[in-house]
Amino acid sequence: QVQLVESGGGLVQAGGSLRLSCAASGSIFSINAMGWYRQAPGKQRELVAGITSGGSTNYADSVKGRFTISRDNTKNTVYLQMNSLKPEDTAVYYCHAVLSTIRTMILYDYWGQGTQVTVSP
């Protein structure tokens, strides 16, 4: 069984910073891509940032220059450093990983439970 456990969400004023963490645990064989998505009330879930196992990154245009994604492969953990936060960044942020387990060795999508980020004006 695989779990993605997020931490680091909360309430912050506009212009502030937060750092999200997501640790994958369980019978993991390998982790391919990892990333962060977000979903605001009444909106569809959208990709915020992604990172490959080799360290290549991509970002939504709305967060470029403000957010930085990174990962520690030794800890099966992905991070999202969010700076210069804006009220429109308010959403539930979900960790995502494409990984294979020891049992199946087949790549599947896994999601965390979500963590709330609220940015006040």
Side-chain angles (χ1 to χ4, degrees):
Q1 188 174 358
V2 173
Q3 280 189 315
L4 300 182
V5 179
E6 299 131 335
S7 60
L11 173 65
V12 65
Q13 287 189 330
S17 299
L18 284 174
R19 188 189 194 214
L20 305 182
S21 300
C22 171
S25 63
S27 302
I28 297 170
F29 178 72
S30 68
I31 302 179
N32 193 339
M34 302 185 80
W36 292 92
Y37 287 70
R38 67 186 181 188
Q39 188 167 19
K43 295 188 176 181
Q44 288 188 330
R45 190 174 297 190
E46 63 175 0
L47 173 69
V48 176
I51 185 167
T52 68
S53 57
S56 297
T57 59
N58 63 292
Y59 296 91
D61 287 343
S62 59
V63 307
K64 283 180 181 177
R66 300 188 297 122
F67 292 9
T68 302
I69 190 170
S70 61
R71 65 190 280 177
D72 184 338
N73 292 331
T74 66
K75 298 180 179 179
N76 290 340
T77 299
V78 63
Y79 306 95
L80 185 68
Q81 178 66 43
M82 304 185 292
N83 298 328
S84 303
L85 282 160
K86 304 175 181 179
E88 51 263 44
D89 295 317
T90 295
V92 177
Y93 283 68
Y94 296 91
C95 176
H96 171 257
V98 180
L99 61 86
S100 59
T101 63
I102 294 172
R103 185 176 70 87
T104 69
M105 298 181 70
I106 298 174
L107 291 172
Y108 285 111
D109 291 297
Y110 290 84
W111 293 89
Q113 79 285 357
T115 185
Q116 177 70 46
V117 171
T118 303
V119 184
S120 62

